[in-house]
Amino acid sequence: MKFKTYPKEAAFAIEHVRNAALLAKQIQQEARSAAFTKEDKSPVTLADFTVQALIASALQEEFPKDVLVGEEESAELCTPEGQETLKKICAYVEKALPGKKLSAKKVCALIDHGKGDATKRFWTIDPIDGTKGFVRGDQFAVALALIDKKEVKVGVLGCPRLGSGGSLIISVRGEGAWQQPLDNKKAEWKRLKVSGRKKIEEAVLLRSYEKANASISEVSQLISQFGIKKGPVQMDSLAKYAVLAAGDADLMMRFPTERHPYEYIWDQAAGQIAIEEAGGRVTDLNGKALDYSQGRKLLANRGVLLSNGHLHAQILSAIKKL
Ligand code: AMP
Ligand code: MG
């Protein structure tokens, strides 16, 4: 797949997200249990740390000047309780990067390369989005995006459990969103297009699998107000964005909760560009564009609304009246 803008960045993201997502799938099969529970009570696994270290290592080689903003950090691994986990991560990283002699300290430094500041041009990585799904043996995604001049320019989603061989989606601003089976890099790239559905009562709505991840009462109100017949499809992670971009669903929204008042940039960027490049729309719940100039969180936005475009205005005006 060749692109006119950001060609090197797109090729880089395709290659490294594919490799990382395939490895994450292997880790899901071998060792999917949580290693720690983070301060916000969310789990983190061997795969989260391993993928962030691998993407950071590749980035340092190919784009040494570029900043990385990643979800994970190595602090827990440096405690006495973290040593066992750190050893296992090092083993996966070493196997993925044969010939590179990496000490445990260096692996931690790679993970912490993700502590960069979200400024002018930066990459953002969610090494395992949907960690709860990953631990359960369900959907998850590896998500990498390049943000330049406050806009998502390139995004790649690796969804190992979407479709029979998994799914890899590359989006480049102005050049479309394209999908290929994750496990077959020789297969043809297929251009993604959102659904053409205009009747809101027939819409297919997506929502988080985890009930705690979104306030449900507003969504239930909208479902009954519009007479949406199909029950919401529950799915973990940015795989939902891939499904919507492919036209297999029409709507998703996330109302903030007390525990999660704001979205993180890595939970949106690579999915947002896929939906937009497939012809859909992404805004916050007030209809405002997602603002990537606020650091690691989308502090200037409230929640998120994704749609095929046709249903967007109708839902926004209903949300306003809630
Ligand atoms: P999902 O699989 O859609 O529930 O999304 C999972 C991802 O979203 C994880 O990265 C969570 O840390 C993050 N997350 C979960 N709930 C929220 C929320 N209410 N607001 C912002 N981020 C959230
Ligand atoms: Mg996430």
Side-chain angles (χ1 to χ4, degrees):
M1 195 68 217
K2 292 234 164 66
F3 295 97
K4 291 194 199 84
T5 49
Y6 299 98
K8 267 179 71 186
E9 288 86 347
F12 166 84
I14 289 172
E15 180 189 345
H16 293 286
V17 171
R18 187 199 307 278
N19 292 343
L22 289 170
L23 176 60
K25 185 182 178 190
Q26 183 195 330
I27 301 177
Q28 192 187 34
Q29 283 152 356
E30 292 171 1
R32 65 180 204 225
S33 60
F36 305 110
T37 302
K38 294 193 280 189
E39 253 173 62
D40 67 356
K41 307 244 170 21
S42 68
V44 58
T45 71
L46 290 179
D48 297 68
F49 294 117
T50 302
V51 168
Q52 184 156 319
L54 290 174
I55 297 288
S57 165
L59 198 62
Q60 283 182 343
E61 276 193 8
E62 291 194 42
F63 297 97
K65 286 190 190 142
D66 277 1
V67 166
L68 181 65
V69 180
E71 179 172 6
E72 306 307 339
E73 57 171 46
S74 75
E76 296 257 30
L77 299 170
C78 304
T79 63
E81 304 80 62
Q83 294 309 299
E84 247 343 271
T85 308
L86 180 55
K87 253 193 231 157
K88 292 180 193 160
I89 294 162
C90 290
Y92 276 118
V93 172
E94 255 174 45
K95 212 169 151 201
L97 303 174
K100 269 207 163 194
K101 269 260 153 256
L102 290 173
S103 62
K105 208 171 149 198
K106 174 70 183 154
V107 170
C108 289
L110 283 174
I111 295 167
D112 290 335
H113 186 53
K115 285 185 174 176
D117 281 333
T119 49
K120 209 170 143 223
R121 169 181 156 126
F122 61 94
W123 295 83
T124 187
I125 174 86
D126 193 337
I128 302 289
D129 181 48
T131 306
K132 286 184 180 163
F134 178 92
V135 170
R136 220 189 298 112
D138 285 341
Q139 293 290 346
F140 69 95
V142 175
L144 179 65
L146 174 70
I147 291 148
D148 195 9
K149 301 177 195 93
K150 297 185 187 169
E151 196 178 44
V152 188
K153 301 291 192 191
V154 177
V156 174
L157 289 174
C159 305
R161 305 190 68 94
L162 204 58
S164 64
S167 191
L168 186 73
I169 290 131
I170 167 84
S171 316
V172 175
R173 183 68 61 194
E175 300 190 54
W178 302 81
Q179 185 267 338
Q180 190 185 52
L182 183 69
D183 65 353
N184 183 2
K185 58 171 131 185
K186 296 218 168 92
E188 205 183 323
W189 288 93
K190 218 180 85 196
R191 191 163 189 164
L192 296 181
K193 195 173 183 311
V194 291
S195 81
R197 204 176 323 272
K198 295 191 176 83
K199 287 189 182 154
I200 206 158
E201 66 276 16
E202 286 168 13
V204 178
L205 210 127
L206 294 163
R207 56 164 290 212
S208 292
Y209 185 96
E210 295 289 332
K211 291 203 171 76
N213 282 5
S215 176
I216 183 75
S217 68
E218 295 91 342
V219 181
S220 305
Q221 248 175 284
L222 292 171
I223 290 174
S224 64
Q225 181 183 331
F226 287 114
I228 296 177
K229 291 181 273 218
K230 294 198 186 97
V233 178
Q234 283 178 258
M235 191 183 282
D236 298 286
S237 84
L238 284 159
K240 289 190 281 297
Y241 293 52
V243 167
L244 207 149
D248 295 325
D250 314 300
L251 273 174
M252 193 208 110
M253 64 206 88
R254 186 143 78 185
F255 284 81
T257 60
E258 225 167 89
R259 221 178 68 193
H260 280 287
Y262 299 105
E263 296 288 335
Y264 286 100
I265 55 173
W266 50 76
D267 282 330
Q268 302 301 328
Q272 175 193 349
I273 188 171
I275 291 176
E276 290 174 343
E277 286 300 318
R281 240 186 113 186
V282 178
T283 66
D284 75 359
L285 297 168
N286 300 327
K288 200 176 152 199
L290 301 189
D291 177 355
Y292 287 91
S293 71
Q294 304 289 311
R296 298 166 78 85
K297 290 181 183 171
L298 296 169
L299 295 172
N301 293 108
R302 181 174 77 100
V304 67
L305 171 65
L306 336 171
S307 81
N308 64 358
H310 303 294
L311 306 173
H312 213 88
Q314 220 177 329
I315 289 282
L316 276 180
S317 81
I319 289 172
K320 220 178 189 176
K321 290 182 201 131
L322 280 180

